[in-house]
Amino acid sequence: MAAYRNTPGFQRVLHAVKHVCFSKQRCGVIICRYSTVYDPNEKTFDKILIANRGEIACRVIKTCKKMGIKTVAVHSDVDSSAVHVKVADEAVCVGPAPTSKSYLNMDAIMNAIKQTGAQAVHPGYGFLSENKEFAKRLAAEGVTFIGPDTHAIQAMGDKIESKLIAKAAKVNTIPGFDGVVKDAEEAVKIAGEIGYPVMIKASAGGGGKGMRIAWNDEETREGFRFSSQEALSSFGDDRLLIEKFIDNPRHIEIQVLADKHGDALWLNERECSIQRRNQKVVEEAPSTFLDPDTRRAMGEQAVSLANAVKYSSAGTVEFLVDSKKNFYFLEMNTRLQVEHPITECITGLDLVQQMIRIAKGYKLQHKQSDIPINGWAVESRVYAEDPYKSFGLPSIGRLSQYQEPLDLPNVRVDSGIQEGSDISIYYDPMISKLVTYGKTREEALKKMEDALDNYVIRGVTHNIPLLREIIVHPRFVSGDISTKFLPEVYPDGFKGHMLTAGERRELLATAAALYVAAQLRSQKFLGDLRVSVVPAESRQWELCVELDKGVHMLGVSRSGNNYTVEIDGEKVEVSGEWNLASALLPITINGKHRTLQCLLRTAAGEISLQYLGTSFKLRVLSNLAASLSKHMPEKVPEDTSSILRSPMPGSVVAVSVKPGDNVAEGQEICVIEAMKMQNSMTAAKTAKVKSVHCKAGDTVGEGDLLVELE
């Protein structure tokens, strides 16, 4: 791919990644008031190694190509055919699948740098992006680390030290214990002094790993154990700190950009309050909650903190904001943030390009007064997760079909996978970051609805049902959100979209029309009837449709591609092209455009439709077939109270019971780790352990039997 070169007569071209950002289109290039310029005369590096994988590696490579910089990808053996490997100019294998032996293997990555002659390293996020030892080793070899210097990484990477520095820089901080917590009993003592609830979190790292909220002494002991284990597993550092938990806050962060000449900017905020297990799910920029004065105050404090540690690169200062707009420093991430695309959309800046320029020693090109808020951007993190289990437990598998909604306007998809890619237990289950942009928030959210409906993902369970429900929920649409949004809106867990009476009729009518269209197609071959002597084509059908254990009798009539379905005395008009080979099913229902997806269609009349984001299982039969089906035996469901199955793929960290042990309801039986997160598996009832089918170190799949109870 050739690097982009701008000409003197074509200035201020807005950065585009894949199919993005998003203002007024002119001659196929997207223009806005303020944008990134790639200057071919501004020399940076000849070759950059990206010490990461997946979508962020692809993201960095795209900007490097636009700047005329050659790229080197590193990969584990299982990632040898990954997209980031294919799009880079060179690729080097750095070890086997486990991250500790590949993407965290500093020796192997240093050898790759020497082997390829890379002059600089972009670490992306996660892995070694905030590892001061890695930055030191690069400096010793004369290789540029595209990020801040080691002092800033150490100061801000240690949550205890960063809090002290923030206090000295007059940044608002959360009350808490400023030292390292030695053991669980000391944690209980400190928590009692601070007052419940408290947040127990890893001193090193971030991303929601090594974090627990405790409301009493017992939860503090348990939280200390799990947090220290997760912190050690994820960051190699099990030190913990405890601070007051701000109940019902918003999580709002400020993007900062600073050069090596003492200049620093804040690039507005990102609203990141929609979270599960302290990990972000949906983000937007700007925030509906901040007024100009609060935005400015937060930005100025973020810049003050960056200046206090002589920060130079892109970084993010995270704050908790209460209902009265009081804000408190949470942490500073000394790297490119996962959700950086929404800042790029509203400012027109390419943050990766800015990081590369700064690393080379160039001054910032802009002043604070230059930074705009143009429009509104929303990001949905699309994960290979089951949203019906704790708002998202990891799913693994191969993407048998994959189609990004890039034919829609103002849609950006940052991904590092393709059809045929494997989602494995070894790495984060993120599929992509889906970003939409509009002049207003309402427009951006409507585009997100359409993008989620048109996003085709097969082969793994994904969280699109949850994402779509979030963005249309009245509380989210009104901006009434906090970090407790998900547990408050779905106190009994996420159950999918709850159909209204009108939506139920739409779904039933669509399934019936689809069934008839399939029946008619099966009677034809190359456009003609398969058997020439069959009766004239029927134009009316009487069908029985089952949905959620309800049985509905429907009458269907057809005229061309238009179907009229009568349900309980009401008529529903359904029309479309009915391309049964397409993954997408764009139709019009009573004059309203909808995009559905047919996930399954069998000869037995079973149809699974993705409608309004959620998958619904239906069964469509002729009246004769329905009358006969009642004689078919039904499968007896498994009694799950006496068995414990793994709810996700992962590895067994610990088993707390053995055959013959008596366990109480809710007692921990074993711990499963998936994607660096530890999950406690508990007994569903009080009983005696009959048998144990796993041991520490075992790899288990979703649904695997772990323990049987008597």
Side-chain angles (χ1 to χ4, degrees):
M1 183 187 295
Y4 172 77
R5 303 297 188 190
N6 67 314
T7 64
F10 190 61
Q11 294 293 314
R12 305 183 75 73
V13 178
L14 178 64
H15 164 59
V17 178
K18 240 177 189 172
H19 189 290
V20 317
C21 262
F22 312 114
S23 222
K24 184 176 179 183
Q25 292 197 29
R26 208 177 290 161
C27 300
V29 182
I30 303 164
I31 308 295
C32 76
R33 181 180 72 81
Y34 180 73
S35 54
T36 289
V37 175
Y38 300 98
D39 184 354
N41 297 316
E42 186 177 81
K43 301 301 180 184
T44 53
F45 304 100
D46 296 324
K47 186 183 291 187
I48 291 176
L49 181 142
I50 298 95
N52 217 297
R53 67 179 299 278
E55 66 86 12
I56 190 59
C58 293
R59 166 69 189 88
V60 174
I61 290 170
K62 287 182 177 74
T63 288
C64 288
K65 288 183 181 297
K66 288 179 171 68
M67 296 177 71
I69 301 170
K70 291 184 177 181
T71 54
V72 180
V74 295
H75 63 91
S76 65
D77 53 8
V78 298
D79 271 347
S80 59
S81 297
V83 174
H84 76 281
V85 174
K86 295 177 180 178
V87 297
D89 296 296
E90 300 176 58
V92 179
C93 182
V94 289
T99 55
S100 60
K101 298 178 180 179
S102 51
Y103 296 104
L104 291 174
N105 186 343
M106 283 191 238
D107 290 337
I109 292 174
M110 294 302 297
N111 288 335
I113 294 167
K114 293 176 183 176
Q115 178 183 330
T116 58
Q119 300 164 320
V121 172
H122 196 299
Y125 56 75
F127 294 136
L128 297 172
S129 62
E130 294 176 286
N131 189 302
K132 62 181 183 295
E133 296 304 322
F134 182 56
K136 284 180 182 177
R137 289 187 63 172
L138 291 175
E141 295 293 333
V143 178
T144 302
F145 179 74
I146 301 176
D149 63 23
T150 54
H151 166 69
I153 295 174
Q154 178 172 342
M156 292 296 99
D158 188 311
K159 290 182 174 61
I160 297 170
E161 186 178 351
S162 66
K163 191 172 179 180
L164 296 174
I165 293 172
K167 281 183 178 180
K170 296 185 170 25
V171 177
N172 304 343
T173 58
I174 301 172
F177 180 67
D178 294 332
V180 178
V181 184
K182 296 176 183 176
D183 53 40
E185 292 311 310
E186 186 181 30
V188 170
K189 179 175 177 292
I190 293 168
E193 293 170 353
I194 296 172
Y196 288 108
V198 296
M199 172 71 83
I200 305 167
K201 60 183 181 180
S203 177
K209 297 179 175 66
M211 298 177 67
R212 290 291 190 279
I213 299 165
W215 294 80
N216 53 49
D217 291 356
E218 182 180 346
E219 290 184 4
T220 300
R221 291 187 180 93
E222 185 180 83
F224 181 91
R225 176 165 69 96
F226 281 124
S227 292
S228 58
Q229 289 173 355
E230 286 178 7
L232 185 63
S233 172
S234 298
F235 317 117
D237 184 343
D238 63 356
R239 292 177 303 147
L240 301 177
L241 64 109
I242 298 180
E243 61 191 19
K244 180 70 176 176
F245 175 62
I246 307 298
D247 196 17
N248 217 36
R250 286 174 178 258
H251 185 137
I252 301 176
E253 61 191 27
I254 301 291
Q255 177 71 57
V256 296
L257 196 62
D259 63 23
K260 299 178 185 295
H261 304 277
D263 297 320
L265 304 171
W266 48 276
L267 308 182
N268 304 310
E269 79 279 5
R270 295 186 288 256
E271 172 72 73
C272 306
S273 298
I274 307 298
Q275 303 180 2
R276 51 97 178 92
R277 298 192 300 279
N278 299 309
Q279 291 181 313
K280 301 159 191 172
V281 179
V282 176
E283 303 101 343
E284 60 182 308
S287 169
T288 60
F289 191 61
L290 296 191
D291 55 70
D293 290 340
T294 307
R295 176 179 294 116
R296 186 182 307 106
M298 293 176 70
E300 289 173 351
Q301 286 200 17
V303 166
S304 176
L305 180 61
N307 288 334
V309 291
K310 295 182 172 55
Y311 196 85
S312 60
S313 191
T316 298
V317 181
E318 301 191 349
F319 294 95
L320 291 181
V321 185
D322 67 20
S323 59
K324 297 180 180 178
K325 297 185 180 178
N326 298 309
F327 56 90
Y328 305 94
F329 170 70
L330 185 62
E331 64 182 1
M332 183 175 188
N333 291 316
T334 58
R335 53 171 167 80
L336 190 64
Q337 201 82 331
V338 175
E339 57 273 17
H340 75 274
I342 53 177
T343 296
E344 294 182 327
C345 291
I346 66 167
T347 63
L349 290 177
D350 178 343
L351 294 183
V352 174
Q353 185 217 18
Q354 296 300 318
M355 294 178 74
I356 293 171
R357 291 187 71 258
I358 291 167
K360 188 61 178 177
Y362 289 108
K363 289 176 66 71
L364 292 176
Q365 298 169 305
H366 314 292
K367 296 179 181 178
Q368 189 63 56
S369 58
D370 296 330
I371 306 302
I373 298 181
N374 283 338
W376 213 283
V378 180
E379 175 179 287
S380 293
R381 299 194 187 189
V382 182
Y383 281 103
E385 291 182 338
D386 186 345
Y388 302 98
K389 297 177 180 177
S390 302
F391 299 112
L393 292 183
S395 169
I396 62 172
R398 176 166 293 174
L399 292 168
S400 57
Q401 194 171 7
Y402 183 73
Q403 182 178 314
E404 297 174 349
L406 292 174
D407 56 331
L408 302 179
N410 293 358
V411 172
R412 164 178 175 169
V413 183
D414 280 17
S415 66
I417 49 93
Q418 61 186 2
E419 194 165 288
S421 292
D422 287 311
I423 307 295
S424 75
I425 64 171
Y426 297 108
Y427 311 117
D428 188 272
M430 180 184 284
I431 293 174
S432 74
K433 299 179 308 197
L434 178 63
V435 182
T436 57
Y437 174 86
K439 294 179 181 178
T440 64
R441 185 172 186 261
E442 182 181 9
E443 182 182 336
L445 290 177
K446 181 61 177 72
K447 291 182 184 300
M448 182 60 74
E449 273 187 66
D450 294 340
L452 290 168
D453 285 342
N454 284 271
Y455 205 149
V456 178
I457 304 172
R458 306 278 195 276
V460 296
T461 305
H462 55 76
N463 67 333
I464 283 179
L466 175 62
L467 295 172
R468 199 185 186 286
E469 283 299 291
I470 290 171
I471 63 165
V472 300
H473 194 279
R475 271 190 58 180
F476 182 83
V477 172
S478 68
D480 177 20
I481 60 175
S482 73
T483 56
K484 286 188 171 182
F485 178 87
L486 289 179
E488 285 178 353
V489 171
Y490 307 106
D492 300 320
F494 179 66
K495 307 296 183 184
H497 182 74
M498 299 292 110
L499 295 169
T500 64
E503 291 168 348
R504 181 176 292 274
R505 284 193 294 272
E506 286 188 8
L507 181 60
L508 291 169
T510 302
L514 182 63
Y515 173 84
V516 172
Q519 291 294 309
L520 293 176
R521 191 184 73 164
S522 68
Q523 296 172 9
K524 294 184 178 181
F525 177 73
L526 297 179
D528 295 321
L529 291 174
R530 290 179 180 271
V531 183
S532 59
V533 295
V534 296
E537 183 180 285
S538 175
R539 293 188 176 274
Q540 293 199 357
W541 296 262
E542 298 294 327
L543 301 176
C544 173
V545 183
E546 300 173 9
L547 172 64
D548 294 335
K549 298 183 180 180
V551 179
H552 306 265
M553 307 307 295
L554 279 62
V556 183
S557 59
R558 169 180 173 264
S559 175
N561 286 330
N562 303 317
Y563 293 84
T564 301
V565 184
E566 187 169 338
I567 309 171
D568 300 328
E570 296 199 30
K571 291 186 177 180
V572 180
E573 302 289 339
V574 186
S575 62
E577 293 300 319
W578 306 106
N579 181 354
L580 303 183
S582 173
L584 298 174
L585 190 64
I587 58 175
T588 301
I589 308 177
N590 287 341
K592 184 187 301 180
H593 178 74
R594 298 279 197 196
T595 300
L596 286 76
Q597 297 185 33
C598 183
L599 308 178
L600 174 71
R601 185 167 48 83
T602 71
E606 295 172 333
I607 297 177
S608 290
L609 291 175
Q610 184 174 306
Y611 171 67
L612 302 177
T614 295
S615 174
F616 293 94
K617 295 181 179 180
L618 303 97
R619 193 179 184 203
V620 185
L621 299 171
S622 66
N623 283 349
L624 175 61
S627 65
L628 296 174
S629 68
K630 65 181 69 173
H631 301 292
M632 298 294 290
E634 292 187 5
K635 183 179 179 180
V636 178
E638 183 180 46
D639 177 14
T640 57
S641 64
S642 298
I643 59 174
L644 178 65
R645 294 186 182 275
S646 178
M648 78 211 91
S651 58
V652 180
V653 175
V655 178
S656 307
V657 298
K658 62 182 183 298
D661 286 355
N662 291 311
V663 295
E665 181 180 351
Q667 181 179 331
E668 180 180 289
I669 290 181
C670 62
V671 177
I672 305 294
E673 182 179 280
M675 280 76 173
K676 300 295 183 184
M677 297 293 289
Q678 295 194 357
N679 304 272
S680 177
M681 304 291 105
T682 59
K685 64 178 183 180
T686 299
K688 180 180 286 188
V689 177
K690 180 180 179 181
S691 58
V692 177
H693 298 270
C694 64
K695 62 182 182 299
D698 283 356
T699 298
V700 295
E702 181 179 353
D704 284 1
L705 182 61
L706 303 175
V707 173
E708 289 183 272
L709 304 177
E710 293 183 355

